[in-house]
Amino acid sequence: GAVVSQHPSRVICKSGTSVKIECRSLDFQATTMFWYRQFPKKSLMLMATSNEGSKATYEQGVEKDKFLINHASLTLSTLTVTSAHPEDSSFYICSARDSLRDEQFFGPGTRLTVL
Amino acid sequence: AQSVAQPEDQVNVAEGNPLTVKCTYSVSGNPYLFWYVQYPNRGLQFLLKYITGDNLVKGSYGFEAEFNKSQTSFHLKKPSALVSDSALYFCAVSSDYSSASKIIFGSGTRLSIRP
């Protein structure tokens, strides 16, 4: 199957700093990528839809200025958590759409811990 | 708006016994339903999906799911559980069959198979 990578896999940062998470489709082009946040009690929440070359579409309740999404190429989307706080600590997962196979593939996730 | 409910936080089954993980959905229009599995510290893996056709869908690792329109359910089943099936299982729904559409996830059910 297709491979989607995320970098870093784990990051610890101080409160007030910004953290960038990368999502890459390794063997296909992805015009659409999705960012999810997984809370400690397991539920997976869709944060935003990232479209290559255009602005991301955010779900209701997600602060676009806090979670900056850039989808600058067909294989890369980035999520930047700005001015991170401890409550932003979570597991962030991306998925990428393979338009040829019409399937979404998920990355392995990034564990963010804000001290 | 679409939503999906997984009423059980945890399901415990003895190895060799059949297992069922429950899921009900709510969507306007035709539902497109998915099951994903997540192993510890890893991303989501696709198990199966229902788009149209036969109500019984067969997927990876011997899993299957039955679509029941009248009960708005899409329960995941396996005739004989393995210890290696222990993981977190997510039911998901989309309002469109295209992979470009966002997928909404349930809260997850932790499946524990005892030897």
Side-chain angles (χ1 to χ4, degrees):
Chain A
V3 178
V4 175
S5 70
Q6 284 185 237
H7 177 78
S9 57
R10 191 179 292 265
V11 57
I12 300 172
C13 69
K14 292 182 179 180
S15 186
T17 60
S18 294
V19 175
K20 181 186 285 188
I21 302 170
E22 294 183 347
C23 177
R24 291 183 186 273
S25 57
L26 298 184
D27 57 354
F28 65 96
Q29 294 183 329
T31 54
T32 305
M33 292 184 174
F34 302 87
W35 285 96
Y36 295 85
R37 180 174 176 177
Q38 186 170 23
F39 292 94
K41 292 199 74 177
K42 306 172 299 181
S43 63
L44 214 66
M45 182 193 80
L46 177 66
M47 299 175 67
T49 302
S50 169
N51 296 300
E52 188 266 338
S54 65
K55 290 183 179 180
T57 303
Y58 290 82
E59 294 300 303
Q60 191 172 7
V62 178
E63 301 175 59
K64 63 177 74 174
D65 294 331
K66 172 106 180 130
F67 298 100
L68 300 179
I69 291 173
N70 188 326
H71 194 155
S73 79
L74 287 171
T75 58
L76 174 65
S77 175
T78 60
L79 169 68
T80 301
V81 183
T82 62
S83 187
H85 289 96
E87 57 266 30
D88 298 326
S89 298
S90 196
F91 196 53
Y92 292 87
I93 299 174
C94 73
S95 71
R97 179 201 177 211
D98 183 337
S99 57
L100 289 180
R101 282 177 278 197
D102 197 25
E103 282 191 53
Q104 280 190 39
F105 298 93
F106 286 81
T110 296
R111 169 86 50 202
L112 170 64
T113 304
V114 185
L115 302 176
Chain B
Q2 59 258 36
S3 65
V4 61
Q6 293 179 245
E8 304 154 314
D9 279 346
Q10 176 131 359
V11 170
N12 299 308
V13 176
E15 187 176 27
N17 283 359
L19 69 87
T20 299
V21 183
K22 295 180 181 177
C23 171
T24 58
Y25 66 89
S26 174
V27 64
S28 55
N30 293 322
Y32 302 96
L33 298 155
F34 308 81
W35 275 101
Y36 288 86
V37 60
Q38 184 180 34
Y39 296 98
N41 297 314
R42 294 176 65 178
L44 297 175
Q45 294 181 36
F46 171 81
L47 278 180
L48 51 81
K49 66 180 175 184
Y50 171 83
I51 295 178
T52 187
D54 196 347
N55 288 345
L56 186 64
V57 180
K58 292 189 183 296
S60 307
Y61 312 119
F63 284 94
E64 58 189 28
E66 186 166 12
F67 171 65
N68 188 315
K69 188 173 183 178
S70 63
Q71 297 185 3
T72 61
S73 67
F74 189 57
H75 301 330
L76 182 69
K77 300 181 180 183
K78 187 171 182 179
S80 179
L82 299 172
V83 173
S84 58
D85 292 330
S86 299
L88 190 53
Y89 290 80
F90 289 97
C91 183
V93 66
S94 178
S95 59
D96 191 295
Y97 70 89
S98 168
S99 64
S101 299
K102 59 186 181 184
I103 297 175
I104 304 300
F105 286 84
S107 56
T109 298
R110 189 165 300 283
L111 179 62
S112 178
I113 310 299
R114 59 183 184 276

